[in-house]
Amino acid sequence: MKILIPIKRVPDADTRIRVRADGSGIEDDGIKFAVNPFDAIALEEAIRIREARGGEVVVATIGGGECAEQLRNGLAMGADRAVLVNTADTLDSLAVARILAALWEREAPAFVLMGKQAIDDDSNQAGQMLAALLGVGQATFVSKLELADDGSSALCSRETDAGIERVRVKLPAVTTADLRLNEPRYVSLPGIMKAKKKPLEEITPADLGVVVASRTHYLRYEAPPRRKARVRVATVDELVDKLREAKVL
Amino acid sequence: MFEPGPDKLLAMEKILVIAEHDAGQLKAASLSAAGFAEQLATASDGSFEILVVGHAIDAIAAALRTCGAAAVLVADANALEHPLADRYAHVIADVARARGATMVVGASSTFSKDVLPRAAALLEAAMVSEVIGLRVENGEPEFRRVMFAGNVIATVRIDGPVRVATVRAAAFAAPAASAECPVEGVSVDEAALPAFLEFVDREAKAAGRPDATEARIVVSGGRALKNSGDFERLVGGLADALGGAVGSSRALVDAGITPNSLQVGQTGKIVAPDLYIALGISGAIQHMAGMKDTKVIVAVNKDAEAPIFEVSDYGLVADVYDAVPRLIERIRGETSN
Ligand SMILES: Cc1cc2nc3c(=O)[nH]c(=O)nc-3n(C[C@H](O)[C@H](O)[C@H](O)COP(=O)(O)OP(=O)(O)OC[C@H]3O[C@@H](n4cnc5c(N)ncnc54)[C@H](O)[C@@H]3O)c2cc1C
Ligand SMILES: Nc1ncnc2c1ncn2[C@@H]1O[C@H](COP(=O)(O)O)[C@@H](O)[C@H]1O
């Protein structure tokens, strides 16, 4: 079974993010980039499915040429093939979903596994939008995925505010990964060597017949207000006294 | 937060608020979404309506009649008993079209995050998540939103005849009580609903304590807690003494000590209570993204250098196993006085 994994290049989760003094964006010097952690989890799941049932795992990203680095990472983890949809435009999740929908038409995968949210924009939208554009089902925030033997559906545990919910979704569908779906493997040295020989195709949105236009315009960026004045207390009793004084208790 | 600009919005906004409910109860955060809608409606001489989707939801609709909406709309059908995204998004998009909505809005929650992007794509609308502010500039609405795990606040504008948003509950107050508005049923063609999804079951929720997103006090535990018994005794015990809710860091959820519904953070729940007590939590950026807007933060951690102390109003360097029993005792002693 063929599985399509959209992955995004984002600042590493441990990088300190600072807003530029003029509010025009994020300071990018010194930032380390990585595969969005949720997308790495989605990719790990797809590789495990391929290991169990055979098939092909295709990683795809939409962005500039620098994103090839993250695709090579995905190939080193174990993906079979990569597609870079090259564009210099900043895209919102709807525009991303439009391009992914066109890629889906071209690749005809059994299903798409992707991250629940990109940790830069924290939007949590693209997967659900892709499912709507394709007219297929969706299972979001998945922490366990069990494919039916005949591949016609997947039983998914979803992490919701009220606890774990289980739904069965017909395939093809879009599923989005939550943190606890699995722990992605580390990239091995032989993996990196092998990745160099795997196909990485570069195309443009126009090749897919898509005209991209983001409807979301980021006008300004600012740092959140800083919290101030901290009090160190020495004992539990002092803590309770201080909280009472401040009328918190 | 609303910052009125020099002028009114150029276009009259017609906003559709999606009410959220669970087990027959309205989620309080829905009222914040209504508060956001009221502000946008006022700034544009427009109006808003509230849509309740589900089955056997009359009581929820009735409870929403005094929120300042022009009408409460009810989409009630057997097939809508569980909040399945395929059919909910279909109904929401249909109603938004039929009512001529220029904006669809819900509270930031797993429900809205699942359903609203799907509805947005059906409406060919762009969407802004995690909105904390609204302002008017040159007759256009601008939305302030949180991103990068709470490290950045961006101001965005969205083009198009329809926009979709999720708003953070703490950022918008519920509308003041109004006169009762009418309740209208909207017809649902069950045969036309998509059926890609089938509900199987849902984990029973531990009863008793309030939800962390709705509580005035939240006591949260981190990796310092070694097992679920200790979590219950120390974190649960302190929460009960204070009449608060419990939360946890990702570390405990990953370890199977707490259920996912307790995770506070970038990818869990966002809370902004009056008091947040962090017990044995280091203060990773992803955790702090979920609690930084709390009024008063207290941290107990045995490492004096733990980053959590940088955002804490009161910090105590101590072992939680020593400090918390004493804390519970002091608080219990005082409440019984
Ligand atoms: C993409 C992504 C998303 C994430 N989302 C979230 C999220 O939503 N929420 C979240 O919480 N995390 C999230 N994380 C994880 C986050 O980065 C941290 O790993 C996590 O918050 C750490 O949890 P902790 O503070 O409990 O554990 P640790 O970092 O291990 O800290 C434990 C703390 O307890 C203290 N301690 C130990 N024993 C005692 C004792 N007996 N008494 C007092 N203090 C003691 C230690 O000094 C330490 O400071 C995410 C990570 C990633 C990459
Ligand atoms: N530029 C992109 N290229 C490939 N996949 C993307 C891109 N942007 C978002 N995605 C996918 O969509 C998911 C959700 O993104 P978002 O809606 O931005 O939070 C991510 O986890 C990725 O799997």
Side-chain angles (χ1 to χ4, degrees):
Chain A
M1 112 187 312
K2 187 195 230 179
I3 310 178
L4 178 63
I5 314 290
I7 63 176
K8 188 179 187 187
R9 171 185 169 94
V10 298
D12 184 272
D14 296 324
T15 305
R16 199 180 183 92
I17 300 296
R18 281 166 301 128
V19 177
R20 278 192 212 126
D22 64 0
S24 64
I26 309 306
E27 290 284 5
D28 42 21
D29 50 291
I31 287 193
K32 205 179 116 213
F33 286 88
V35 175
N36 183 42
F38 292 97
D39 307 353
I41 294 170
L43 175 56
E44 173 65 36
E45 195 68 15
I47 294 169
R48 289 184 193 182
I49 292 169
R50 186 200 57 204
E51 283 166 354
R53 314 169 62 113
E56 188 184 25
V57 175
V58 182
V59 283
T61 195
I62 304 160
E66 66 281 3
C67 301
E69 186 190 341
Q70 278 62 46
L71 290 175
R72 288 282 171 215
N73 257 312
L75 293 170
M77 256 180 84
D80 300 295
R81 179 156 75 75
V83 182
L84 170 60
V85 184
N86 200 320
T87 170
D89 296 325
T90 310
L91 303 177
D92 60 14
S93 299
L94 184 61
V96 165
R98 285 228 161 87
I99 294 173
L100 292 177
L103 197 58
W104 164 297
E105 298 299 340
R106 198 185 80 150
E107 296 286 341
F111 69 106
V112 169
L113 242 163
M114 55 203 275
K116 78 163 178 176
Q117 100 193 45
I119 62 162
D120 51 359
D121 61 47
D122 280 338
S123 289
N124 199 330
Q125 301 173 5
Q128 300 85 311
M129 288 176 161
L130 174 62
L133 295 179
L134 294 169
V136 301
Q138 71 185 52
T140 50
F141 328 143
V142 171
S143 60
K144 191 170 178 198
L145 193 150
E146 297 162 76
L147 285 177
D149 286 338
D150 65 358
S152 66
S153 69
L155 177 62
C156 299
S157 297
R158 305 182 51 237
E159 294 205 352
T160 78
D161 289 343
I164 306 283
E165 175 189 285
R166 292 198 305 163
V167 295
R168 189 169 286 111
V169 62
K170 281 186 195 143
L171 299 186
V174 177
T175 51
T176 75
D178 215 318
L179 289 171
R180 280 165 283 275
L181 182 59
N182 59 51
E183 228 178 279
R185 68 195 64 189
Y186 286 104
V187 171
S188 66
L189 197 58
I192 295 171
M193 298 315 288
K194 262 202 231 156
K196 290 189 176 147
K197 294 194 206 90
K198 290 180 181 172
L200 192 163
E201 180 190 8
E202 211 172 307
I203 57 174
T204 65
D207 294 333
L208 293 168
V210 190
V211 181
V212 277
S214 181
R215 286 194 173 164
T216 309
H217 307 282
Y218 284 82
L219 306 171
R220 279 183 300 286
Y221 299 84
E222 62 199 277
R226 287 183 71 91
R227 295 186 68 96
K228 48 185 183 308
R230 305 178 292 270
V231 182
R232 281 290 168 105
V233 293
T235 64
V236 169
D237 293 310
E238 192 190 343
L239 174 63
V240 175
D241 294 342
K242 284 269 194 309
L243 290 175
R244 291 197 65 103
E245 253 170 58
K247 305 219 174 330
V248 183
L249 289 184
Chain B
M1 193 178 41
F2 179 56
E3 305 163 46
D7 35 45
K8 287 250 166 193
L9 285 169
L10 295 175
M12 248 184 0
E13 298 284 345
K14 199 152 183 230
I15 307 126
L16 185 66
V17 176
I18 311 305
E20 182 178 346
H21 52 92
D22 181 35
Q25 295 288 314
L26 176 71
K27 296 297 261 179
S30 305
L31 298 176
S32 302
F36 166 89
E38 186 180 51
Q39 291 176 5
L40 189 58
T42 306
S44 66
D45 292 325
S47 62
F48 72 97
E49 297 178 321
I50 304 179
L51 171 64
V52 194
V53 185
H55 182 49
I57 45 180
D58 288 348
I60 290 156
L64 288 164
R65 292 182 70 182
T66 54
C67 296
V72 175
L73 311 175
V74 182
D76 187 323
N78 282 317
L80 299 172
E81 184 186 351
H82 301 292
L84 296 170
D86 54 354
R87 52 208 77 168
Y88 269 54
H90 179 95
V91 169
I92 290 166
D94 270 357
V95 173
R97 275 189 216 102
R99 310 301 289 196
T102 56
M103 178 131 207
V104 177
V105 57
S108 275
S109 63
T110 53
F111 166 79
S112 295
K113 288 173 182 173
D114 185 39
V115 172
L116 292 189
R118 189 175 178 105
L122 294 176
L123 292 165
E124 296 185 36
M127 172 166 174
V128 53
S129 301
E130 310 290 343
V131 172
I132 57 162
L134 170 68
R135 58 191 304 252
V136 177
E137 191 72 46
N138 301 324
E140 293 276 345
E142 291 183 356
F143 307 98
R144 295 180 74 236
R145 60 154 310 189
V146 180
M147 52 197 290
F148 284 99
N151 282 309
V152 179
I153 297 170
T155 301
V156 304
R157 203 186 64 229
I158 303 182
D159 298 337
V162 191
R163 316 176 188 89
V164 179
T166 58
V167 305
R168 289 221 177 149
F172 297 93
S178 68
E180 289 196 340
C181 72
V183 174
E184 280 175 49
V186 296
S187 64
V188 177
D189 180 359
E190 291 208 40
L193 291 178
F196 302 115
L197 282 161
E198 180 200 331
F199 177 85
V200 176
D201 55 24
R202 196 161 89 181
E203 164 189 87
K205 205 164 76 182
R209 297 200 184 104
D211 188 288
T213 55
E214 296 183 3
R216 210 180 62 74
I217 298 178
V218 177
V219 182
S220 229
R223 206 190 305 269
L225 284 307
K226 294 196 188 77
N227 53 55
S228 50
D230 289 353
F231 180 87
E232 186 47 37
R233 181 168 58 85
L234 299 174
V235 182
L238 183 56
D240 291 345
L242 292 164
V246 290
S248 92
S249 72
R250 172 188 171 184
L252 291 191
V253 186
D254 285 0
I257 293 173
T258 52
N260 81 281
S261 53
L262 295 196
Q263 181 175 313
V264 170
Q266 180 186 20
T267 52
K269 286 181 177 166
I270 309 288
V271 304
D274 291 344
L275 175 61
Y276 187 91
I277 305 183
L279 302 174
I281 292 177
S282 62
I285 195 80
Q286 294 86 3
H287 184 80
M288 298 206 281
M291 42 66 83
K292 262 196 313 194
D293 294 326
T294 299
K295 287 213 186 75
V296 175
I297 298 174
V298 172
V300 182
N301 193 306
K302 68 179 183 190
D303 173 9
E305 303 299 318
I308 189 79
F309 287 125
E310 286 163 32
V311 300
S312 301
D313 299 278
Y314 301 96
L316 173 64
V317 179
D319 190 312
V320 292
Y321 282 85
D322 301 330
V324 179
R326 173 73 188 141
L327 196 51
I328 295 173
E329 193 182 291
R330 273 285 314 258
I331 286 160
R332 287 248 181 249
E334 277 165 30
T335 46
S336 59
N337 281 343

